[in-house]
Amino acid sequence: MPTDRRPAYAPHAEHDAVAALRERLTAHADKRPDAPAVRWRTAAGWSGTTWRELAATARRVAARATAELPAGRAVVVATVNTGAHAAVLLGLLAAGFDVVLVEHDSSYLADPLSAVYAARPGAVVAAVDGPRAATGELRRLAVEDLVAGAPQAEWPDRTPGAATVLQLTSGSTGEPRVAAVPLGAALRGGALYRDLFDLDERDTILAAVPLAHSFGFVGALCAAVLSGGTLTLLVRFTGRGLVEGLDAGATALLATPFVYGLVPDLLHGRVRPDRLRVALCSGGPLTPAAAEAAGGRLGCPVRQIYGSTETGLIACQSGRSRPWPAEGVGGFVPGVRWRVEPVRGSDAGRLLVRTSTMFTGYVGRGGAEALRPDGYYDTGDLVDVDDAGDVTIVGRKATFINVGGRKVNPRRLERLIGELPGVRAVHVCGLPDARGNEEIHAVVELTPGTDPAAVVAGCRQRLTAYEVPHHVHAVDRLPRTALGKVAAPALQDLIAGRGAGAPGGTTATRRSTRT
């Protein structure tokens, strides 16, 4: 057992969480200054930073932010999977700032009506050549400037606030919202990953997921900070980068079902990774067949993770001697209180939970609107829990589209596509392709002279690559019910018919940008 694994996680007093984050970074820098903290792969190759360098850079970020940014205002960070961006995130949080996490190419930054701006941020931090914010009055800071200059020896002496991680959620109804997760809750989540999977300073955690997502931020970055292990990042996911990361000695892999679906082909004919012992999957359901195929190539079982941005980790398949049910997601993790509410006409029930990693509410909404009066959160998922406490998901929230592990909200796409020239009406849905991966279909009513290809081109300008519809179907009129609602089954029949070569209307298909 390593000597620096305690304290187990930040105390529940959220001001203490900032002190705990500072303490962990300082402890690693003092005890293991030259040990690798973060490695990341770019198109030019691999780069890295030590714990001494990471802590010094985080202190510099904290000092400059404290001196230059208004207290009490959130900071949006357009994250890239690099050591510099990890240092910026850690430094801002260690200075007590609320941080809004978005991906560097997120279309939300250019959308003034998106949930990002509900947080009323005071600044945006992005790469020099990164995206511009939709509201011009926001202060813009470059990641390159924040991390440059002489190392900072001490943390700023101003008493920091209680930092909060503000994360976009897919939303169960309407458009996505921003969930407020206290830094202490995020650190407790990182400690759960560390303790459940025995992560310590000897481990190398390969994150094939963005730091802006809860799985990447909590399961990878926070777990690495608390365990002292090396965090390995892919700036942009590629099969080659994943293989190189595994070959370089990864002991733990965090990835989505889409990535694990690629593993058998990527590792075909190659020697199994010799150090990998933990493979965790989140971002959607993983079929038993896919898990078995990927695990066979990786040389270790692929373990399902079940949770959400709002709740953190709920259940997982941690190590035990007897096998987990093939369709299950594991057992409840420590700190989870749960109950199942009956659903008429179903043997399963809706899962409600309270966790030690719970969010406090949605930005712009009171906590009472997000949680039940007794503090429980309704996951919206139908579950079956057997006598041993093993959890099986019978039905999940289905309002979002799962594109390679990324959640795309169709209602938001409908709003943005509906604003394009020539689009009278639009309905967006997700349907599986021949391999079972979900694709985005947009069915549109267009004005005369507007071509579906123009809609695809407009989407490329306004949306992140993975949000661009795979197929745009032009129809004379969207089928609707007697109440005026779009008749989704009729639309799906139309889409399926066109896939089989049925005539009628026009369809434009984009080249895949799935990542």
Side-chain angles (χ1 to χ4, degrees), residues 55 264 306 335 347 389 450 490:
Y306 171 58
D347 292 333
T450 303

Side-chain angles (χ1 to χ4, degrees), residues 8 28 64 134 152 193 196 200 258 387 423-424 440 453 486 504:
H28 295 317
R64 181 170 177 186
Q152 186 79 17
Y193 279 93
L196 287 167
D200 60 37
F258 173 72
D387 293 340
V423 178
R424 287 174 171 166
I440 303 171
V486 173

Side-chain angles (χ1 to χ4, degrees), residues 123-502:
V124 173
V125 176
V128 169
D129 58 351
R132 295 287 172 179
T135 52
E137 69 271 16
L138 288 182
R139 172 96 184 265
R140 181 184 173 89
L141 297 176
V143 168
E144 293 83 349
D145 292 338
L146 279 176
V147 302
Q152 186 79 17
E154 302 293 338
W155 295 103
D157 57 7
R158 191 179 80 182
T159 302
T164 300
V165 183
L166 302 169
Q167 294 183 288
L168 289 165
T169 71
S170 52
S172 58
T173 59
E175 293 210 13
R177 292 178 284 183
V178 171
V181 181
L183 175 60
L187 292 179
R188 288 190 287 274
L192 279 173
Y193 279 93
R194 181 200 62 192
D195 295 342
L196 287 167
F197 302 104
D198 294 323
L199 301 174
D200 60 37
E201 70 268 14
R202 296 166 293 184
D203 281 295
T204 297
I205 304 168
L206 174 57
V209 288
L211 287 177
H213 290 201
S214 181
F215 193 30
F217 179 78
V218 176
L221 181 59
C222 290
V225 168
L226 290 170
S227 68
T230 302
L231 176 60
T232 300
L233 301 169
L234 306 178
V235 173
R236 183 177 296 277
F237 173 79
T238 64
R240 179 179 177 181
L242 180 70
V243 172
E244 288 182 1
L246 292 169
D247 288 345
T251 59
L253 171 63
L254 277 65
T256 64
F258 173 72
V259 172
Y260 285 110
L262 299 176
V263 162
D265 290 336
L266 291 174
L267 299 185
H268 180 71
R270 300 179 62 91
V271 176
R272 288 178 176 176
D274 58 358
R275 294 192 62 206
L276 191 72
R277 63 179 184 83
V278 178
L280 306 180
C281 179
S282 185
L286 181 69
T287 66
E292 182 178 2
R297 294 293 184 188
L298 293 170
C300 68
V302 179
R303 303 189 184 281
Q304 187 86 2
I305 295 292
Y306 171 58
S308 69
T309 301
E310 290 89 345
T311 65
L313 191 55
I314 295 175
C316 69
Q317 297 173 337
S318 55
R320 74 179 188 189
S321 57
R322 73 179 187 280
W324 295 97
E327 300 288 346
V329 295
F332 292 108
V333 302
V336 173
R337 287 175 282 177
W338 60 275
R339 69 172 184 263
V340 177
E341 290 191 345
V343 174
R344 181 178 298 178
S346 173
D347 292 333
R350 291 173 70 94
L351 178 64
L352 278 68
V353 298
R354 289 185 66 176
T355 72
S356 65
T357 54
M358 187 81 78
F359 78 139
T360 56
Y362 297 110
V363 172
R365 295 171 179 266
E369 294 184 46
L371 304 173
R372 294 289 182 92
D374 57 4
Y376 277 74
Y377 175 75
D378 184 354
T379 67
D381 293 334
L382 298 181
V383 304
D384 178 70
V385 183
D386 65 18
D387 293 340
D390 295 340
V391 184
T392 299
I393 309 298
V394 177
R396 293 178 181 262
K397 291 179 180 177
T399 58
F400 54 82
I401 304 169
N402 191 332
V403 181
R406 287 178 163 94
K407 305 301 190 296
V408 177
N409 190 287
R411 305 293 81 80
R412 177 172 178 269
L413 293 195
E414 288 172 357
R415 173 171 64 82
L416 294 175
I417 295 172
E419 294 172 356
L420 294 174
V423 178
R424 287 174 171 166
V426 56
H427 181 78
V428 174
C429 63
L431 294 174
D433 62 13
R435 299 182 63 179
N437 299 312
E438 278 198 285
E439 291 187 329
I440 303 171
H441 292 257
V443 185
V444 293
E445 292 180 16
L446 302 177
T447 59
T450 303
D451 189 88
V455 176
V456 174
C459 289
R460 288 187 183 279
Q461 294 179 350
R462 303 197 68 186
L463 302 173
T464 308
Y466 66 84
E467 297 174 312
V468 176
H470 298 81
H471 309 280
V472 175
H473 310 273
V475 296
D476 294 333
R477 188 175 299 277
L478 290 172
R480 298 184 181 274
T481 67
L483 296 177
K485 296 182 178 180
V486 173
L491 278 183
Q492 293 180 10
D493 289 344
L494 179 149
I495 292 168
R498 291 189 178 184

